[in-house]
Amino acid sequence: MKKNNSLDEIAAALKKADTVLLFPHISMDGDAMGASSALCAALRKAGKTAYVVVEEKLPDMVAFLDRGYCTEDPKLTARPDVCVCVDCGEYKRFPKRKTLFRTGALSVCIDHHKTTEPFLDLNFIKEDAAATAEIVYELIPLLGVEIDEEIGSLIYAGIVTDTGKFQYSNTTRKTHLIAAELLALGVRASDISIMLYQNERMEKLLLGARIFDDARLFADGRAVISCITEKMLKETGGRLDETDGVTESLRDIRGVEVACLLKEKTAHTIKVSLRSKKDVDVAAFSEKNGGGGHTKAAGFTLNGYSVEDAKNMIIQQIEELFL
Ligand code: AMP
Ligand code: MN
Ligand code: MN
């Protein structure tokens, strides 16, 4: 299996197909949604039947980007020629859709996570792409499709979210050049940013306040940990699917290098979100715990732990990173 087939090979396989299904990861973020929907829109422009297959309600933050791309309807997704996993590279990142994914005659992975290993028929895993949407930006013209304002807006949403609004170290000259091209196509960057970042429910912000209230600094102030429990959700009216950005806010604390947020999904299943500022590789840390991600944004899921036990275990592990 090759880590990288060429984008030309992937484009050729997509051009041959009639029906293509796109599979973004669970807990969709702007990049998973933007990259998969942009590719979906482009494939439709090329005359294909294409859908983004999802397995959960779209998070509020990205729902506005869906113009009929996303579906859970099995009638629409039967007998795909090609199935593409987008912005992820493991079945456990789209667990309920694994069986459907495997019905595709050909499978493709398009991703930029450093922990992704090639596992499908065709793979394009580019660790230094700031967002999977950047890869999609390069792939679409190879399909013979012109990027229009709609497709461009989806790509822009992917890039702006995964680069932390062009702040993170994954942001390159190329990232800015692509963004500039998208603006030239008429993409309304400020409108997209308002939808992504200035459109919060009050309940989400109240939940954020509780998370900060609960936050505990450790490792001499170089790390911070907090959690979201069922009780906090109930008391604030916040939802687990709208906590995007909170781990980043914890990381923003002066002196903090690593931020960790525990999300109690069900009793004893905890999703762990990690962010680092400069030097610590949280992808390696997450991989050791069965997850993965990027150097500065990664995560994993713990089963069989209470929030307290998970917290203590992680504090100990993170303290060791600073020894
Ligand atoms: P999150 O904290 O959920 O925003 O995730 C941060 C980054 O880590 C994203 O790029 C995710 O795709 C990745 N990630 C999160 N959880 C996992 C996991 N369990 N396995 C692999 N990658 C993950
Ligand atoms: Mn993602
Ligand atoms: Mn991404």
Side-chain angles (χ1 to χ4, degrees):
M1 221 171 278
K2 282 197 210 168
K3 176 132 187 168
N4 272 331
N5 298 89
S6 66
L7 280 183
D8 283 312
E9 274 176 275
I10 291 175
L14 291 170
K15 276 167 111 169
K16 263 194 253 157
D18 289 322
T19 303
V20 182
L21 300 181
L22 293 322
F23 292 70
H25 61 76
I26 44 172
S27 308
M28 270 225 257
D29 52 22
D31 188 32
M33 177 73 183
S36 57
S37 300
L39 190 50
C40 182
L43 288 163
R44 287 182 182 180
K45 245 180 133 175
K48 318 285 178 194
T49 299
Y51 286 98
V52 176
V53 188
V54 298
E55 62 183 65
E56 56 194 4
K57 184 179 166 289
L58 295 181
D60 267 6
M61 188 185 180
V62 298
F64 78 97
L65 296 168
D66 182 26
R67 302 225 166 90
Y69 307 117
C70 298
T71 186
E72 288 188 67
D73 186 348
K75 285 198 289 293
L76 296 175
T77 57
R79 284 184 293 283
D81 298 313
V82 182
C83 286
V84 189
C85 75
V86 182
D87 196 37
C88 56
E90 285 174 287
Y91 289 121
K92 68 171 196 233
R93 301 289 287 144
F94 49 100
K96 293 184 190 152
R97 290 164 288 166
K98 177 177 172 179
T99 311
L100 174 61
F101 187 90
R102 291 170 67 113
T103 63
L106 186 85
S107 61
V108 181
C109 172
I110 302 176
D111 190 21
H112 68 133
H113 288 90
K114 70 186 268 185
T115 48
T116 294
E117 292 296 333
F119 74 124
L120 299 176
D121 296 328
L122 296 175
N123 302 282
F124 192 85
I125 303 155
K126 193 174 176 210
E127 195 187 314
D128 59 358
T132 302
E134 265 192 23
I135 304 173
V136 166
Y137 175 85
E138 297 197 329
L139 175 61
I140 289 175
L142 304 178
L143 298 170
V145 173
E146 236 175 82
I147 296 179
D148 55 23
E149 187 205 327
E150 165 67 8
I151 297 173
S153 298
L154 292 162
I155 293 173
Y156 188 88
I159 291 175
V160 74
T161 45
D162 261 25
T163 57
K165 308 170 195 165
F166 302 95
Q167 297 175 70
Y168 300 153
S169 55
N170 59 353
T171 311
T172 61
R173 174 172 178 271
K174 183 170 169 184
T175 312
H176 284 289
L177 289 172
I178 293 174
E181 285 304 317
L182 297 176
L183 296 194
L185 294 171
V187 168
R188 288 193 288 268
S190 140
D191 289 352
I192 295 171
S193 291
I194 288 171
M195 290 305 287
L196 287 169
Y197 302 113
Q198 299 174 29
N199 191 29
E200 308 279 36
R201 291 194 319 130
M202 185 66 180
E203 291 85 349
K204 172 185 167 171
L205 299 178
L206 289 171
L207 175 62
R210 283 291 300 274
I211 292 166
F212 266 84
D213 220 23
D214 233 62
R216 173 174 157 197
L217 289 162
F218 63 101
D220 295 326
R222 285 175 294 177
V224 62
I225 193 163
S226 191
C227 63
I228 305 171
T229 59
E230 302 248 24
K231 186 165 175 275
M232 287 159 73
L233 296 175
K234 217 174 270 161
E235 287 173 4
T236 58
R239 294 195 312 256
L240 261 195
D241 71 354
E242 60 179 4
T243 53
D244 246 61
V246 181
T247 326
E248 281 89 346
S249 300
L250 289 166
R251 174 212 54 209
D252 292 347
I253 298 169
R254 181 181 296 178
V256 163
E257 170 61 27
V258 177
C260 178
L261 183 64
L262 309 184
K263 305 175 189 176
E264 191 179 29
K265 285 210 114 161
T266 57
H268 300 290
T269 299
I270 297 161
K271 182 172 167 16
V272 182
S273 247
L274 286 152
R275 297 291 184 272
S276 74
K277 198 172 277 170
K278 248 184 136 173
D279 300 319
V280 173
D281 183 352
V282 288
F285 182 87
S286 295
E287 206 171 18
K288 271 196 231 145
N289 283 289
H294 308 287
T295 308
K296 292 173 184 165
F300 57 96
T301 300
L302 288 174
N303 291 305
Y305 281 81
S306 68
V307 173
E308 269 320 297
D309 288 348
K311 225 182 197 179
N312 291 331
M313 192 265 284
I314 291 168
I315 287 175
Q316 202 179 338
Q317 282 191 27
I318 292 179
E319 266 172 346
E320 283 165 16
L321 293 178
F322 291 105
L323 290 180

